Amino acid sequence: RAKTKLNIMKSRLLIAALIILAAFSASAQPHPQDKGYNFVQNISYTSADETDAYRLERCKLDIYYPETDKGFATLVWFHGGGLNSGNKEILDGFRRQGFAVVSVNYRLSPKATFPAYIDDAAMAVAWTFENIEKYGGCKEQIYVSGHSAGGYLTLMVGLAKEYGQKYGLDVNKIAKLYPVSGQTVTHSQIRKERGLPDGIPVVEEAAPIYHAANGGAPMILITGDRDLEMVARYEENALLQSLLENFKHDSVLYEMQGFDHGTVLAPASALISSDIKRLWRRHSTSSDR
């Protein structure tokens, strides 16, 4: 209990600081052109023998990365949109931060159904581990995050390890996970695919909570204000955090007070950027010894 209270106190202090830092925009930039950074678009991350037309269309990613630096950290980012809409994006909050961003498109419902989008997310992270060094990145410093549906995919890739294993990915090697406002029960779009009643939570293999005992990479769960978020979104994340803590999983939950489901992206991106840079500096210092 003392540890939980300390985490809550630390979270509130950090959130207060990040709200000040979040004055910059969290809007997406489809074609960022920043001095000192390269931006490569529409790289296919499917296998060379892929024949499915929809997968060939959607399974593409963009890479935004430092031009001259080597050994930089990389954030794999999954867009939101309820698993049925949305496109890859580079948030302003992740630009010019000294790390790379791999922004991923994945198949969408109803054209694709469970577990297609999770398979795609796992394949994209596996692709990043296999290829980021070609762009100058460090594969020991790969982070994964996403907002809303992207937060759900982050959780499923990080906790349901079988998806990554299918593509040769050891998710324990992910440096850290940052799911933002993700559903931790079975996603509402998957419930819709199955004809289940709206608004009633389900916990089974498609729910991140179902996989909580698996352990895995360190994690920061992030939500908006419990009174402003989508229904039960904070509470779902609080339940997952409680389970993770019980299983000794290195994790913490931040509630961004005063922010709703959409506006939470500004302070969340500030928190994520700050944490990645802190961990990258620690890794670099350790590697230089």
Side-chain angles (χ1 to χ4, degrees):
R1 298 297 177 202
K3 180 183 175 184
T4 300
K5 289 180 180 178
L6 179 61
N7 282 338
I8 291 171
M9 186 181 300
K10 288 168 65 180
S11 299
R12 287 175 177 169
L13 289 171
L14 180 58
I15 290 165
L18 288 169
I19 287 172
I20 297 171
L21 290 173
F24 58 78
S25 172
S27 62
Q29 295 292 326
H31 305 287
Q33 296 179 342
D34 295 324
K35 185 177 180 180
Y37 288 82
N38 288 324
F39 184 53
V40 183
Q41 294 180 276
N42 296 319
I43 301 169
S44 175
Y45 61 85
T46 61
S47 62
D49 57 355
E50 180 61 63
T51 59
D52 181 87
Y54 187 47
R55 199 167 202 182
L56 289 169
E57 173 195 342
R58 284 293 301 182
C59 292
K60 295 181 180 179
L61 54 80
D62 299 340
I63 305 180
Y64 170 91
Y65 64 99
E67 211 167 53
T68 57
D69 293 347
K70 299 298 179 184
F72 49 77
T74 300
L75 174 67
V76 180
W77 177 258
F78 298 114
H79 67 79
L83 297 178
N84 57 33
S85 63
N87 279 293
K88 48 189 167 61
E89 59 194 0
I90 305 292
L91 297 184
D92 277 355
F94 297 141
R95 294 170 60 189
R96 302 179 299 276
Q97 296 299 310
F99 56 79
V101 181
V102 173
S103 182
V104 182
N105 267 356
Y106 49 87
R107 287 173 291 174
L108 301 170
S109 184
K111 201 165 183 178
T113 57
F114 172 82
Y117 20 74
I118 304 170
D119 276 336
D120 293 348
M123 181 184 278
V125 176
W127 184 96
T128 304
F129 271 91
E130 293 168 5
N131 292 277
I132 199 61
E133 289 181 338
K134 299 175 186 176
Y135 297 87
C138 173
K139 66 179 180 181
E140 295 176 359
Q141 284 285 289
I142 294 175
Y143 302 81
V144 180
S145 184
H147 173 241
S148 196
Y152 168 79
L153 293 176
T154 299
L155 287 166
M156 287 299 290
V157 170
L159 295 175
K161 298 181 179 181
E162 62 270 23
Y163 292 100
Q165 289 168 353
K166 182 177 177 181
Y167 301 106
L169 170 66
D170 179 358
V171 297
N172 289 336
K173 292 183 178 180
I174 296 171
K176 203 162 190 176
L177 302 158
Y178 304 94
V180 182
S181 297
Q183 291 185 52
T184 71
V185 297
T186 296
H187 196 281
S188 56
Q189 183 61 39
I190 298 172
R191 302 201 300 268
K192 183 177 180 180
E193 290 174 6
R194 296 173 177 175
L196 297 173
D198 187 32
I200 299 177
V202 175
V203 175
E204 42 72 78
E205 65 174 348
I209 282 178
Y210 182 86
H211 305 277
N214 287 350
M219 183 185 307
I220 293 182
L221 295 151
I222 305 169
T223 75
D225 192 311
R226 69 188 75 187
D227 295 323
L228 301 174
E229 259 286 6
M230 299 186 76
V231 175
R233 192 58 53 91
Y234 167 80
E235 289 77 9
E236 286 182 29
N237 279 264
L239 175 57
L240 175 57
Q241 166 57 18
S242 179
L243 292 170
L244 293 173
E245 187 173 298
N246 180 63
F247 291 117
K248 311 301 181 187
H249 190 132
D250 182 1
S251 60
V252 66
L253 169 61
Y254 289 146
E255 177 187 7
M256 300 301 189
Q257 296 177 350
F259 294 89
D260 62 23
H261 187 71
T263 59
V264 72
L265 269 175
S269 59
L271 186 158
I272 293 166
S273 295
S274 176
D275 199 53
I276 289 175
K277 288 186 284 187
R278 177 183 65 85
L279 293 170
W280 179 82
R281 285 193 297 268
R282 180 189 295 175
H283 174 80
S284 297
T285 301
S286 175
S287 298
D288 290 341
R289 287 176 183 172

